[in-house]
């Protein structure tokens, strides 16, 4: 690898009113490398990249590209210099075709035989060039495809094609895997490796530390607006990266407390729903954290949805505190003492345009209502108690929840269920899409719930999370339980071996 940087940012400072966002940052990118840029929310990653692409102006420092000092004033100017960014929220026009998006704002014009530019678009040439770029990326769709008909992974390829159409030498990918199913993550990584072989440098911003070890050549970590650490992937370990990011060790990431397991609180026998959930049986005790592991499509989410009454079960019996119960709907499950934090907090767990207070008390309004009128002081008291208890960072309880960080939004979802004092709390991917520091806080809260005698069912695609937090782990494949492990027995190899069992 060429050790002369294609991009160098030296002594970068940036302040906003009351906040020193970047403090003497040094950042280099080398030709043909995949560089992972890591850090918690607020570490300075976005601010640094926004300075690079011309959204913000730096207060101090120097940016050089191929040895020449630059100072982009707009994203388009950075684009023309060969620096492109693929945002987490893709920047495409859904109603337009792929080739139209690739050349949006710089459409090719037809020319006369004498070379004079005509006032007509050269759609044939734009289609041809888009096709060449899509073929280079291994895309399986055509330039004439309307973008809204494509999946997220395919739309990302359109964004990459757009960048390559201007011969981008540096592509910034901001959380590109956050909305992708696991099967598409591997496809994206193959594209990134192919770009690397063609000399393109990629700045890969992600919260998923395990992905860094799969795809990156080097890791740069920011913390509190300063350089916290830098290392090659050969030097990096999970513990080093986490320690640089949050100043915590791995032990502090998974603060599982020893809890005396109590009596059986939940028992499920023969739970079935179509081909997704097939004859699932297990028990959960007070103070126990029970993990559900498995690959995408294994049936974990479908199992807990059928248990909670969201989806109608075909068969199966449920006992709660030794009493047979028929959980026909979420309302019945809530009354019986179950809580459910869903996988997609924004779509299923929160009402984003409502306040923190309204979201926290949403499931417990019955207890806060007298003669069809909400008792506002009681509502405020409940919310303020959980804001303090869960350390929800918000300017106030009347703040719209859509303005909170992912970690604080997840705490609001937890607060909503804790307000009902559940006996059993189901957590489906509770730390997905939140930064490492917030994950540690969520883990600490889960441990506290178990200490308080709650039974917790934890679904996670992150094996370190399950191994670090659970008393027992059940593994599912094709709708069936294929492995059962105690905390002492479980390891990644055993879990993966059970997860790939082909059950017919």
């Amino acid at each position: 690898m060429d050790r002369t940087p294609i991009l160098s940012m030296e002594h970068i400072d940036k302040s906003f009113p009351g906040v020193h966002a970047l403090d003497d940052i040094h950042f280099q990118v080398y030709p043909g490398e995949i560089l992972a840029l890591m850090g918690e929310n607020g570490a300075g990653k976005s601010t640094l990249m926004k300075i690079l692409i011309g959204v913000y102006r730096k207060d101090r420092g120097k940016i050089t590209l191929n040895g020449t000092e630059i100072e982009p004033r707009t994203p388009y100017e950075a684009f023309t210099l060969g620096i492109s960014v693929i945002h987490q929220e893709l920047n495409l026009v859904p109603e337009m075709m792929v080739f139209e998006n690739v050349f949006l704002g710089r459409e090719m014009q037809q020319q006369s035989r004498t070379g004079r530019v005509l006032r007509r678009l050269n759609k044939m040439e734009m289609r041809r060039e888009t096709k060449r770029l899509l073929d280079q990326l291994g895309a399986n769709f055509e330039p004439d495809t309307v973008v809204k008909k494509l999946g997220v992974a395919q739309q990302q390829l359109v964004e990459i094609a757009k960048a390559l159409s201007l011969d981008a030498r540096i592509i910034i990918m901001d959380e590109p895997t956050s909305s992708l199913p696991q099967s598409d993550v591997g496809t994206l990584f193959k594209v990134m490796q192919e770009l690397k072989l063609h000399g393109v440098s990629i700045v890969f911003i992600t919260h998923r530390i395990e992905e860094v070890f799969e795809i990156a050549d080097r890791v740069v970590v920011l913390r509190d607006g300063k350089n916290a650490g830098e290392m090659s992937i050969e030097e990096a370990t999970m513990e080093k990266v986490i320690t640089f990011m949050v100043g915590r060790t791995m032990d502090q990431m998974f603060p599982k407390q020893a809890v005396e397991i109590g009596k059986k609180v939940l028992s499920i026998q023969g739970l079935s729903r179509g081909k997704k959930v097939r004859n699932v049986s297990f028990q959960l005790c007070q103070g126990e954290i029970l993990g559900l592991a498995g690959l995408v499509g294994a049936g974990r989410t479908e199992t807990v949805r059928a248990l909670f009454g969201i989806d109608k079960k075909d068969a199966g019996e449920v006992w709660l505190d030794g009493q047979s119960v028929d959980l026909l709907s979420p309302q019945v499950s809530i009354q019986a003492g179950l809580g459910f934090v869903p996988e997609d907090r924004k779509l299923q767990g929160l009402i984003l345009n409502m306040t923190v207070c309204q979201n926290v008390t949403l499931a417990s309004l019955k207890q806060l209502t007298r003669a069809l009128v909400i008792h506002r002081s009681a509502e405020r008291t409940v919310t303020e108690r959980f804001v303090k208890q869960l350390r929800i960072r918000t300017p106030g309880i009347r703040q719209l929840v859509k303005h909170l960080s992912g970690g604080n939004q997840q705490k609001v979802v937890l607060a909503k269920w804790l307000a009902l004092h559940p006996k059993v709390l189901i957590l489906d991917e509770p730390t997905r899409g939140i930064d490492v520091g917030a994950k540690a806080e969520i883990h600490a809260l889960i441990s506290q719930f178990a200490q308080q005698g709650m039974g917790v069912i934890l679904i996670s695609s992150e094996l370190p999370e399950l191994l670090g937090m659970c008393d027992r782990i059940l593994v599912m494949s094709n709708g069936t339980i294929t492995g059962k492990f105690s905390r002492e027995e479980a390891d990644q190899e055993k879990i993966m071996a059970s997860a790939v069992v082909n059950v017919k």
Side-chain angles (χ1 to χ4, degrees):
M1 186 185 294
D2 186 351
R3 297 316 294 171
T4 302
I6 184 175
L7 172 74
S8 182
M9 302 179 76
E10 299 290 337
H11 303 292
I12 304 296
D13 262 60
K14 179 65 180 177
S15 293
F16 299 100
V19 178
H20 195 174
L22 297 177
D23 185 0
D24 197 35
I25 292 289
H26 296 257
F27 181 75
Q28 286 81 35
V29 179
Y30 294 93
E33 78 164 345
I34 299 175
L35 171 64
L37 179 59
M38 308 289 291
E40 293 191 85
N41 289 338
K45 307 184 301 296
S46 295
T47 302
L48 184 66
M49 293 299 100
K50 285 178 178 178
I51 287 172
L52 176 59
I53 65 171
V55 175
Y56 295 152
R57 301 291 297 276
K58 64 187 183 328
D59 297 336
R60 183 174 74 93
K62 180 180 179 181
I63 306 173
T64 57
L65 182 67
N66 290 319
T68 301
E69 187 169 353
I70 63 168
E71 186 154 356
R73 288 172 172 78
T74 66
Y76 185 76
E77 188 176 327
F79 196 29
T80 60
L81 290 169
I83 303 170
S84 182
V85 60
I86 298 174
H87 296 282
Q88 187 173 356
E89 303 294 335
L90 299 176
N91 193 20
L92 298 171
V93 182
E95 305 295 333
M96 295 177 70
M97 288 183 277
V98 168
F99 81 88
E100 294 171 320
N101 272 278
V102 168
F103 288 96
L104 187 62
R106 48 189 185 84
E107 291 79 2
M108 293 180 176
Q109 306 289 332
Q110 291 186 13
Q111 292 185 349
S112 68
R113 292 180 179 177
T114 61
R116 184 169 61 89
V117 176
L118 303 177
R119 299 179 68 179
R120 291 195 296 271
L121 297 182
N122 192 342
K123 293 186 177 182
M124 183 180 296
E125 185 59 31
M126 286 191 287
R127 285 189 179 94
R128 185 182 296 118
E129 177 62 11
T130 300
K131 176 66 173 171
R132 183 185 70 81
L133 294 169
L134 294 177
D135 287 345
Q136 179 182 332
L137 296 173
N140 60 354
F141 53 90
E142 297 299 318
D144 284 334
T145 307
V146 177
V147 164
K148 69 179 180 181
K149 295 182 179 179
L150 300 176
V152 176
Q154 294 173 314
Q155 290 185 27
Q156 284 183 339
L157 292 181
V158 177
E159 288 275 24
I160 295 171
K162 186 195 302 185
L164 295 180
S165 71
L166 256 179
D167 195 29
R169 306 315 298 161
I170 298 173
I171 299 179
I172 302 162
M173 295 187 174
D174 186 7
E175 299 282 356
T177 64
S178 63
S179 55
L180 292 183
Q182 197 60 40
S183 56
D184 288 337
V185 171
T187 303
L188 175 64
F189 284 176
K190 287 179 183 177
V191 170
M192 291 168 67
Q193 291 286 10
E194 191 66 27
L195 292 172
K196 172 184 167 181
L197 291 175
H198 284 83
V200 177
S201 302
I202 297 172
V203 179
F204 177 50
I205 302 173
T206 182
H207 284 126
R208 298 178 177 176
I209 301 177
E210 67 279 3
E211 292 179 348
V212 170
F213 294 93
E214 188 174 347
I215 191 66
D217 301 302
R218 197 161 55 91
V219 183
V220 170
V221 182
L222 304 184
R223 186 169 77 234
D224 298 330
K226 300 177 182 179
N227 288 98
E230 179 179 335
M231 69 207 97
S232 69
I233 202 64
E234 292 78 17
E235 299 170 315
T237 64
M238 183 81 76
E239 183 150 7
K240 276 185 183 178
V241 174
I242 289 173
T243 301
F244 279 137
M245 287 176 68
V246 298
R248 298 184 181 94
T249 65
M250 283 287 284
D251 289 343
Q252 293 170 310
M253 276 299 299
F254 303 110
K256 177 77 171 74
Q257 302 296 322
V259 176
E260 185 176 342
I261 304 301
K263 67 177 183 179
K264 190 185 302 179
V265 65
L266 175 71
S267 182
I268 298 168
Q269 189 68 41
L271 185 65
S272 297
R273 175 177 163 78
K275 294 181 180 179
K276 294 288 189 179
V277 184
R278 301 191 292 166
N279 197 31
V280 171
S281 301
F282 62 85
Q283 291 80 40
L284 176 71
C285 295
Q286 291 177 341
E288 182 181 31
I289 302 175
L290 176 66
L292 288 186
L295 302 178
V296 173
R300 298 167 299 165
T301 295
E302 291 82 359
T303 296
V304 294
R305 284 175 61 92
L307 167 62
F308 197 68
I310 299 172
D311 301 325
K312 185 179 179 181
K313 69 181 188 292
D314 297 331
E317 295 184 75
V318 179
W319 289 268
L320 197 63
D321 284 335
Q323 299 293 316
S324 179
V325 291
D326 199 358
L327 304 178
L328 297 173
S329 68
Q331 183 179 8
V332 173
S333 296
I334 291 168
Q335 291 172 346
L338 274 68
F340 182 27
V341 175
E343 184 177 12
D344 191 330
R345 61 178 170 270
K346 290 187 177 181
L347 286 179
Q348 301 168 335
L350 297 166
I351 301 179
L352 295 175
N353 284 319
M354 290 173 64
T355 66
V356 171
C357 183
Q358 289 168 323
N359 273 278
V360 167
T361 58
L362 195 59
S364 53
L365 284 177
K366 186 175 181 180
Q367 292 90 320
L368 299 172
T369 302
R370 298 289 183 275
L372 301 180
V373 177
I374 298 173
H375 198 302
R376 296 300 179 186
S377 63
E379 181 186 44
R380 185 171 59 251
T381 299
V382 168
T383 305
E384 288 174 345
R385 174 161 58 88
F386 283 112
V387 165
K388 183 178 180 180
Q389 181 181 328
L390 304 188
R391 290 189 286 185
I392 300 172
R393 296 178 183 88
T394 173
I397 64 173
R398 302 301 175 189
Q399 171 79 318
L400 295 182
V401 79
K402 68 180 179 181
H403 296 312
L404 302 186
S405 69
N408 286 297
Q409 287 180 349
Q410 192 68 304
K411 289 179 183 180
V412 172
V413 182
L414 288 170
K416 177 176 69 177
W417 293 110
L418 294 178
L420 290 169
H421 309 289
K423 301 171 185 176
V424 174
L425 185 61
I426 303 166
L427 304 174
D428 192 356
E429 302 285 1
T431 63
R432 174 173 287 173
I434 63 179
D435 65 47
V436 176
K439 282 186 179 183
E441 292 185 350
I442 298 294
H443 292 153
L445 290 171
I446 295 171
S447 190
Q448 287 176 25
F449 303 157
Q451 282 184 303
Q452 294 163 8
M454 201 181 298
V456 179
I457 298 174
L458 173 60
I459 299 175
S460 177
S461 299
E462 298 186 22
L463 290 186
E465 182 168 70
L466 292 174
L467 292 168
M469 293 302 300
C470 295
D471 298 292
R472 284 189 300 131
I473 297 175
L474 305 180
V475 187
M476 294 190 68
S477 177
N478 201 22
T480 301
I481 293 177
T482 53
K484 301 178 182 181
F485 303 100
S486 67
R487 182 175 178 83
E488 293 72 27
E489 294 170 333
D491 60 37
Q492 295 205 25
E493 290 75 19
K494 290 178 182 176
I495 291 173
M496 285 308 299
S498 296
V500 297
V501 170
N502 186 18
V503 182
K504 294 183 179 179

